[in-house]
Amino acid sequence: MNRILPIIRKEFIHILRDRRALMIAFLTPVIQMVILGYAATTDVRNVPLAVLDQDRTRQSRALIDAFVQSGQFTVYRYVMSERDLAAQIDSGQARAGLIIPPDYGRTVTAGRDVGVVFVLDGSDPSVASNALSSARLIGASLATRVREETLARRGMTTVTMPGAPQVRERVWYNPDMDSAVFMVPGLIGLVLQFQATLLTASAVVRERERGTIEQLIVTPIRPYELMLGKILPYAVIELLVVGEVLLVGTLWFGVPIRGSLILLVAIACLFLVSTLALGLLISTIAHTQFEAFQLSFLTLLPSVFISGFIYPIDAMPAALQLISKIIPLTYFLVVVRGIIIKGVGIEALLPQIAALTIFGAALLTIASLRFRKRLD
């Protein structure tokens, strides 16, 4: 510790002197959380809808209102022909179209089935699939209500057939199926990795570029002691960032922490060791701070797309599933979502804790071995 403490003190002095970088270090996570918290969503909201109402009756207006009141669609424009509707979708101004036939109101009033055409822009499959599911649910709900009203006018009621199966849905942990509840905990892990890796990626490179590496070379400090001395100050900064992003997620987005906050912070420390050590490993490979910056982004992209942050790992090809197992964020996402959303305890997270411990020790060891106390 007598050799590590001067390195820690040196890094803290450097961090505190660079107040601009320190301010950016604390403001960036908040900005990222707010922007990505709203942008990174799987919910389908306000899909622009072009409407061709050839009936113009109370029943057709009720159908359009059902689409609008669901919150999934908003009427972008009423068109006069199918050609106009196609033009709106082709230009991208409308993402869906609703074609109501001329005899819609009369057919519905008579209690007969009537076809309504729902046209969908499938160029974005994720939006299209969710919009299609929403349209089907809206249609089924409206059809049931119209059928009940028709039977009521005739003095009849719906009767459940004996033995007919009835499905009763129960949604655990996120009853409203709000994507923010799923995305915000994931953003906590992503922001931490992005911030910690970038902060430490230029640590050794900065020493080399400024010419202060010679001062470290003439000291009796060992490589692993240098690595620990450089990691610990940034670990303190990142622990403060952990509290910051948790406050943003809870107070701004309303995502409650159902599990143990102490357990979450403790495992976050393990994750930070992995990400900080990864940044140091990058700094031992890169020759300039620009190279360190580029390599940091190279590690960030797989973490976004392969770790399960957005897309489920089980749906990926086998090769990508194997790659996801060597990404620390993969395990931390299970931890942070399990504790925040489900309120699970340590017994359910032992495999992830073991994996993060191994990653942290391995990356720190490799970074120490990569460092050589010589100018080249």
Side-chain angles (χ1 to χ4, degrees):
M1 290 301 297
N2 291 333
R3 290 188 292 267
I4 295 176
L5 286 176
I7 298 295
I8 295 175
R9 180 174 177 272
K10 171 183 172 298
E11 287 296 320
F12 268 122
I13 291 174
H14 170 75
I15 292 171
L16 295 176
R17 279 181 177 176
D18 194 351
R19 295 183 179 179
R20 188 173 182 178
L22 188 62
M23 184 182 300
I24 293 174
F26 282 101
L27 286 179
T28 301
V30 176
I31 296 172
Q32 289 174 331
M33 284 287 293
V34 172
I35 294 177
L36 293 176
Y38 287 110
T41 176
T42 56
D43 291 339
V44 176
R45 298 287 182 188
N46 300 322
V47 175
L49 182 69
V51 177
L52 175 56
D53 186 359
Q54 301 174 349
D55 189 53
R56 297 181 182 275
T57 60
R58 178 178 60 85
Q59 290 81 4
S60 66
R61 289 193 295 270
L63 174 62
I64 298 169
D65 289 343
F67 275 82
V68 174
Q69 291 172 5
S70 68
Q72 314 298 318
F73 302 92
T74 180
V75 176
Y76 170 73
R77 182 171 296 175
Y78 288 92
V79 297
M80 304 304 297
S81 66
E82 293 187 20
R83 177 176 295 181
D84 292 340
L85 186 142
Q88 296 298 321
I89 296 178
D90 289 343
S91 64
Q93 294 175 318
R95 302 298 298 272
L98 182 65
I99 303 176
I100 304 174
D103 58 346
Y104 175 81
R106 184 173 63 257
T107 307
V108 167
T109 304
R112 298 194 304 270
D113 293 337
V114 59
V116 175
V117 179
F118 181 73
V119 183
L120 191 60
D121 180 1
S123 58
D124 187 342
S126 60
V127 174
S129 60
N130 288 330
L132 183 59
S133 299
S134 299
R136 287 172 176 170
L137 289 173
I138 293 168
S141 176
L142 184 62
T144 301
R145 189 168 74 244
V146 169
R147 188 176 296 110
E148 290 176 349
E149 291 174 355
T150 303
L151 291 175
R153 286 196 302 268
R154 297 176 180 177
M156 303 170 60
T157 59
T158 55
V159 180
T160 303
M161 295 179 60
Q166 295 184 10
V167 179
R168 298 180 180 178
E169 299 90 353
R170 290 185 182 180
V171 181
W172 290 5
Y173 310 124
N174 187 13
D176 296 331
M177 290 186 285
D178 185 2
S179 66
V181 175
F182 176 77
M183 297 300 295
V184 168
L187 284 173
I188 293 172
L190 185 65
V191 168
L192 286 180
Q193 173 168 324
F194 179 80
Q195 186 87 352
T197 304
L198 283 181
L199 280 176
T200 55
S202 59
V204 175
V205 179
R206 183 176 60 245
E207 301 280 0
R208 187 182 295 114
E209 288 186 341
R210 295 184 177 180
T212 55
I213 192 71
E214 294 92 337
Q215 300 174 12
L216 296 176
I217 290 174
V218 298
T219 63
I221 192 169
R222 298 183 179 90
Y224 77 89
E225 294 171 341
L226 175 62
M227 296 297 104
L228 284 175
K230 284 188 169 296
I231 274 183
L232 290 177
Y234 293 107
V236 172
I237 298 296
E238 288 306 304
L239 280 177
L240 296 176
V241 172
V242 170
E244 187 180 39
V245 295
L246 285 175
L247 283 175
V248 173
T250 302
L251 300 180
W252 189 285
F253 292 100
V255 179
I257 301 175
R258 294 189 171 93
S260 171
L261 182 59
I262 296 176
L263 178 62
L264 178 58
V265 173
I267 301 178
C269 290
L270 287 177
F271 176 65
L272 285 176
V273 171
S274 300
T275 54
L276 291 169
L278 177 61
L280 282 177
L281 177 60
I282 290 173
S283 70
T284 63
I285 298 173
H287 296 285
T288 65
Q289 292 194 56
F290 179 75
E291 287 183 13
F293 187 78
Q294 293 291 92
L295 288 174
S296 298
F297 269 97
L298 185 63
T299 61
L300 182 66
L301 289 177
S303 298
V304 173
F305 296 107
I306 307 178
S307 65
F309 171 69
I310 299 177
Y311 309 108
I313 296 176
D314 294 337
M316 298 178 186
L320 292 182
Q321 292 187 32
L322 288 176
I323 295 175
S324 70
K325 295 183 183 299
I326 60 173
I327 299 176
L329 184 60
T330 302
Y331 303 93
F332 187 66
L333 288 179
V334 177
V335 170
V336 71
R337 285 170 174 162
I339 294 177
I340 292 180
I341 300 175
K342 301 179 181 179
V344 300
I346 189 172
E347 63 282 351
L349 302 172
L350 290 177
Q352 286 73 32
I353 294 174
L356 290 174
T357 303
I358 294 172
F359 275 116
L363 289 172
L364 190 58
T365 301
I366 296 172
S368 300
L369 294 175
R370 282 282 311 174
F371 177 74
R372 294 291 182 268
K373 290 176 59 178
R374 58 175 185 265
L375 287 175
D376 58 352

